[in-house]
Amino acid sequence: MTVEKFSYDNKIVRDFAIASIVFGVVGMLVGLLAALQLFAPVHNLGTQYTTFGRIRPLHTNAVIFAFVGNAIFMGLYYSLQRVCKARMFSDLLSRIHFWGWQLIIVLAAITLPLGLTSGKEYAELEWPIDIMIALVWVVFAINMFGTIFKRREKHIYVAVWFYIATVVTVAVLHIVNSVEIPVSFFKSYPVYAGVQDALVQWWYGHNAVAFFLTTPYLGMMYYFLPKMAGRPVYSYKLSIVHFWSLIFIYIWAGPHHLLYSALPDWAQSLGVVFSIMLIAPSWGGMINGLLTLRGAWDKVRDDVTLKFMVVAVTCYGMATFEGPMLSLKNVNAIAHFTDWIVAHVHIGALGWNGFLTFGILYWLIPRIYKTSLYSKKMAAFHFWVGTLGIVFYAASLYWAGITQSLMWKQFTPLGILQYPNFLETVIQIIPMYMIRAFGGALYLTGVVVMVVNLIKTAKSGVLEANEPAEAPALEKDYVDKSTKHRWLETRPGKFALLATIAIIIGGAIEMIPTFMIKANIPTIPSVKPYTPLELQGRDIYVREGCYTCHSQMIRPFRSETERYGEYSKAGEFVYDHPFQWGSKRIGPDLMRIGKKYPNLWHYNHMENPRNVSPGSIMPNYDWLLKQNLDNSTLESKINAMRTLGVPYAPGYEKQALQDLTKQAEELAADLQKNGAPAQSNKEIIALIAYLQRMGTDIKGDTTTVK
Amino acid sequence: MFDNILTSIEGIAIYPIFSLVIFFLFFLGLTVWVLKADKKYLEKMSEIPFEK
């Protein structure tokens, strides 16, 4: 038994910590801006780069991939080295991973406000960045598995299983959901359309929650919580059972985001069943976390890191109980499209991800700087102000969501809608939006206090960039890479393979039938491809992030068919790359907006929504009236669409511009006739053309509004 | 794009049945393994974070 001397890389941990904090502050500031925009449109700041439709994806991407992403790498790089008793596989790969990830974040921060988006929630980044993400992720994977293979500890601790599942599954999700056809350097169309696109998107979206916001954090919980409490995890058996159940079951539950939509019913039911089953493994994790503190609760009183951990794990339990409840169809009928969902995800983001990150930061920074925390008082203040912030945020949105939903569904005794004007239901909850912003501001205040506290802490010590350690070498026969496939016979190899099989089975059975069986998407003969002008208009709709506030999915409830018109059918979306069903109604559904209002109404409404709807919180889109429509990529767009199966005749791309011009001139002439100073070459014309087309095909009605 | 590949799969019902069987057997195996697991081994595993 020779004892080997080596060192842990703390510098990379410190770097990821800084990145997480910096982007956390930025992401939350952007979130606060979005919250202000929702009760006072003036905060859209009058430029197209800062409107809600572009800011909201920036906020979600910044919080998920920049704040939480960097925090994952921080916690993972720290704990993985220690439970493997090995330095990270390669310092160079660590650096490439770090700078690559930050570059991706910066590119996201530039492209999203510019309106360069693929229009799929939490996967908005365009194709060149998607490729970069995949490459950096592979670097990270090599670095992680390399570390596991050269470990000096024979056994693989439970935290590492969660890390392996994370690395493998995120790669699969990202690649499958990002298959797209480029039409230019920053514009692409997803290969999936309509219902299929929705299914893939929410298989991805739901499992981003599972494998980006949950499994890596559970892994960190299993390492840091025992360390903080000074006692091992409550039940190692439970951790084994709950790990495998979690990754097996989570992957199936994606369709619960699409209940009562045009998704085939069997797929919806599958999603509901697995969502209910998910309570068990999720609560297994929560119970294991909380019971680790049995007999150590006295420590929670004076150890602020444990306070953060307890609230984080409790919020995890709340969110993972609420999720399955929201998946029940009768509950979902009320909650879907409302602020209830926004409250739900923020219990997870602010409570579980945020607080666990803060707890780890308060514990970790003093240790790698070989000092003690600058101020326990400030940390305690952060804890209380942050907790209060979560309460204000969530409570106000629960109130808002349920209020608005009940107003949408309310009929008078005569059987007509009590609140036929959607705007009435929005104005009703504006005070709640103010309280939400206040809650967010409180939470952010706590974070700023933490930043000061941690900077002072770091200044009082010195970073131990390479922490010396020693451990006996592993018996060499244990990891033998002499033949090519030997890695599969090692435990981490088997593990990774099993985990992959588990998630692929679930994903495949969920998706294959919808892709392969025609009966799942009944065709509607009268549904035709978009004209070139409408296609351009649709791309503007995607660019401006209209889907962040407007759904295109009328559910089969009387309250919705009364308000909007005929419910949405699967066959209506067959040419929609990407689908734009949306997941939140800050404004009314647009599925049947076509021909509902004259062109002039849309023109005035887009210039300033308050021209036609006093009290509206929608941003102005006046630049659409001034910007020329860019038709330079029209040919490649038509070609790309044809490749994807949209039946444009061969050679139609040559004629497309002519057709577009003709339709635009007709539309502009109508606007001019009614007194609007419209020009046919502006973006607004294309957008109006798309809006007037929307949802009209099944009516088989080609007359225009008089 | 995909809808032209296949219009139907023969015996689609075998998919969910097959997966249910796989998962059920896996969980059965997992439960048996966990219940029979060596207490000393599990204790050692949960001590890993504390080894210096």
Side-chain angles (χ1 to χ4, degrees), chain A residues 407-432:
Chain A
M407 287 175 84
W408 290 344
K409 291 182 177 297
Q410 188 62 48
F411 282 95
T412 66
L414 292 174
I416 51 171
L417 286 170
Q418 171 132 24
Y419 305 102
N421 183 356
F422 189 95
L423 193 52
E424 224 180 329
T425 71
V426 177
I427 289 168
Q428 183 70 29
I429 58 173
I430 294 285
M432 292 299 146

Side-chain angles (χ1 to χ4, degrees), chain A residues 257-385:
Chain A
H257 291 260
L258 301 167
L259 299 179
Y260 287 114
S261 74
L263 186 74
D265 204 51
W266 65 264
Q268 294 186 36
S269 302
L270 189 83
V272 173
V273 171
F274 277 93
S275 303
I276 299 299
M277 283 165 68
L278 255 180
I279 294 179
S282 303
W283 275 49
M286 175 192 69
I287 288 165
N288 224 356
L290 289 178
L291 287 183
T292 297
L293 294 168
R294 78 202 179 288
W297 283 95
D298 57 305
K299 282 188 181 164
V300 179
R301 205 174 324 154
D302 48 27
D303 182 350
V304 78
T305 61
L306 280 177
K307 284 196 177 99
F308 275 106
M309 297 305 262
V310 169
V311 170
V313 176
T314 309
C315 282
Y316 175 65
M318 283 163 56
T320 53
F321 176 72
E322 186 182 29
M325 292 302 107
L326 286 168
S327 307
L328 293 167
K329 284 184 92 166
N330 51 350
V331 180
N332 195 272
I334 296 170
H336 192 46
F337 291 136
T338 75
D339 287 301
W340 185 342
I341 308 299
V342 185
H344 166 65
V345 301
H346 280 84
I347 294 283
L350 301 172
W352 165 239
N353 296 111
F355 267 40
L356 204 103
T357 306
F358 306 148
I360 292 173
L361 281 167
Y362 282 126
W363 184 87
L364 194 147
I365 297 292
R367 273 174 177 71
I368 59 177
Y369 277 91
K370 300 195 76 103
T371 176
S372 52
L373 190 63
Y374 167 73
S375 164
K376 280 187 174 175
K377 267 215 172 81
M378 280 166 84
F381 172 79
H382 176 197
F383 171 76
W384 287 111
V385 83

Side-chain angles (χ1 to χ4, degrees), chain A residues 36 38 75 87 141 201 374 432 556 662 669:
Chain A
L36 296 172
L38 285 180
R87 190 183 178 87
Q201 160 62 31
Y374 167 73
M432 292 299 146
K662 184 165 169 282

Side-chain angles (χ1 to χ4, degrees), chain A residues 19-20 23-24 61-71 101-102 105 212:
Chain A
S20 174
F23 289 127
N61 278 276
V63 167
I64 297 170
F65 299 110
F67 169 56
V68 171
N70 278 307
W101 195 256
Q102 309 322 316
I105 290 165
F212 206 88

